[in-house]
Amino acid sequence: MAAKLIKGTEIREQILEEITAEVAEIKEKHGVVPGLVTILVGENPASISYVTLKIKTAHRVGFNEIQDSQSEDLSEEALLGLIDKYNNDDAINGILVQLPLPKHIDDKKVLNAIDPDKDVDGFHPVNVGRLMIGGDEVKFPPCTPAGIQEMIVRAGVETSGAEVVVVGRSNIVGKPIANMMLQKGPGANSTVTIVHTRTQDLAAHCKRADILIVAAGVPGLVKPEWIKPGSCVIDVGVNRVGEKISEKTGKKIAILSGDVDFDAAKEIAGYITPVPGGVGPMTITMLMKNTLKSLKFKLGIA
Ligand code: GUN
């Protein structure tokens, strides 16, 4: 194998240790810990498993975590009322409404109701605008793109002047990571191209990427011959391509595959993220970082 593996599972451990130490220090100096509320509406199994992991991680780093689980038939008005309550709760620094929401609730209305200074997902238009301006304006970068940037930096990959090609233009990954990589500053200063379903020659763009970030949701979309030798390949795809029985638990679990043909790509790239165990673990880690940051802004120590 030519490529160095960038393991999200290892980087997660380093960052969570850093956060735990910082939380303990703030608790000692200021007598407070970050407060995070996770609002889950309904019983979508994937959402339950994400929320369970968020809660477990929040406890691990010493946060005060409130889990607010609501039934599927909660009205939009009642959900907006809950958000208002947490917006005005001094002990809460981060509010996370797990998506997707039931169909009768307008997600946009709900996300826009969260106080931008407690929007640790970074989805509120104010935070999207802050991200676009860059520099000191940025409060809460969205978690998956923040995780991607952190992985690139911690792997020691040069970003300044690098050709970054982002495959996918979603609001959650493609657009924000492209914006972050082109900003002035460390871990950025790149020349960025976004390609998508209407791009005419996807292969030609990918082939010149020093850093290729793929968030298309199409298993095996990126072919090995599209990868520039020695480049850094970040695979954000999490595609369920089958099921298997877990050796650990004996339960049925999904077989996951990325958007890149990993086995072939790892022989060409210089750095590559695996699926699972690559970008995935970074999202919740960065949520913890944003929640800690929210408290630090409030205390004037960020
Ligand atoms: N559902 C899947 N991923 C996410 C996420 O990052 N944040 C929220 N709020 N919901 C999600």
Side-chain angles (χ1 to χ4, degrees):
M1 172 162 150
K4 183 175 179 294
L5 267 189
I6 309 178
K7 292 185 186 163
T9 43
E10 280 180 15
I11 299 175
R12 168 184 62 195
E13 293 308 305
Q14 291 165 15
I15 297 177
L16 291 181
E17 274 174 31
E18 290 163 15
I19 294 174
T20 306
E22 220 177 329
V23 169
E25 195 185 320
I26 291 175
K27 188 176 178 182
E28 196 175 312
K29 279 195 189 146
H30 300 272
V32 283
V33 296
L36 173 67
V37 61
T38 313
I39 305 175
L40 173 65
V41 185
E43 289 177 4
N44 174 323
S47 293
I48 292 174
S49 95
Y50 279 132
V51 165
T52 306
L53 197 54
K54 284 171 188 172
I55 295 164
K56 201 172 136 198
T57 312
H59 286 152
R60 171 180 163 183
V61 295
F63 289 3
N64 176 23
E65 214 286 341
I66 296 175
Q67 185 190 1
D68 194 336
S69 293
Q70 298 287 333
S71 72
E72 181 84 22
D73 58 6
L74 182 79
S75 69
E76 185 179 279
E77 198 187 352
L79 179 55
L80 292 172
L82 271 182
I83 291 171
D84 187 52
K85 180 180 89 172
Y86 292 120
N87 279 344
N88 290 297
D89 183 340
D90 244 14
I92 295 295
N93 306 104
I95 301 171
L96 183 131
V97 178
Q98 186 65 27
L99 301 174
L101 286 166
K103 288 201 169 42
H104 66 277
I105 299 178
D106 177 353
D107 324 355
K108 228 191 247 174
K109 219 177 189 178
V110 169
L111 296 179
N112 290 1
I114 297 172
D115 177 347
D117 291 342
K118 295 189 179 187
D119 167 41
V120 285
D121 257 330
F123 293 163
H124 191 287
V126 166
N127 285 317
V128 176
R130 287 169 171 164
L131 191 79
M132 180 65 103
I133 296 167
D136 292 348
E137 282 292 323
V138 182
K139 282 205 153 174
F140 305 119
C143 302
T144 302
I148 292 169
Q149 192 177 36
E150 194 79 37
M151 293 177 98
I152 295 170
V153 169
R154 289 192 188 225
V157 174
E158 179 59 80
T159 59
S160 182
E163 289 280 346
V164 171
V165 175
V166 178
V167 183
R169 53 177 161 179
S170 70
N171 286 330
I172 292 182
V173 184
K175 283 193 250 177
I177 189 62
N179 181 45
M180 288 161 77
M181 297 308 293
L182 65 78
Q183 298 290 351
K184 280 188 184 167
N189 282 324
S190 307
T191 301
V192 180
T193 306
I194 306 183
V195 297
H196 49 78
T197 44
R198 298 296 172 96
T199 297
Q200 294 201 358
D201 192 347
L202 213 54
H205 288 288
C206 292
K207 280 179 188 174
R208 39 177 193 77
D210 299 311
I211 300 173
L212 181 63
I213 300 171
V214 193
V218 180
L221 174 73
V222 172
K223 308 289 177 269
E225 59 273 21
W226 298 6
I227 292 167
K228 181 174 173 180
S231 63
C232 172
V233 177
I234 307 287
D235 190 350
V236 193
V238 184
N239 306 295
R240 286 165 190 254
V241 293
E243 281 184 340
K244 64 178 180 186
I245 303 292
S246 161
E247 280 176 23
K248 246 196 214 162
T249 63
K251 287 186 183 163
K252 247 194 223 170
I253 52 166
I255 300 173
L256 301 177
S257 164
D259 290 348
V260 177
D261 176 352
F262 178 81
D263 288 333
K266 73 183 192 316
E267 303 302 329
I268 304 163
Y271 299 83
I272 191 165
T273 60
V275 177
V279 176
M282 296 300 293
T283 301
I284 292 180
T285 305
M286 301 317 283
L287 175 73
M288 300 302 134
K289 196 159 178 175
N290 275 349
T291 308
L292 171 60
K293 236 172 149 185
S294 178
L295 174 63
K296 287 167 69 180
F297 281 127
K298 189 174 161 206
L299 295 172
I301 56 169

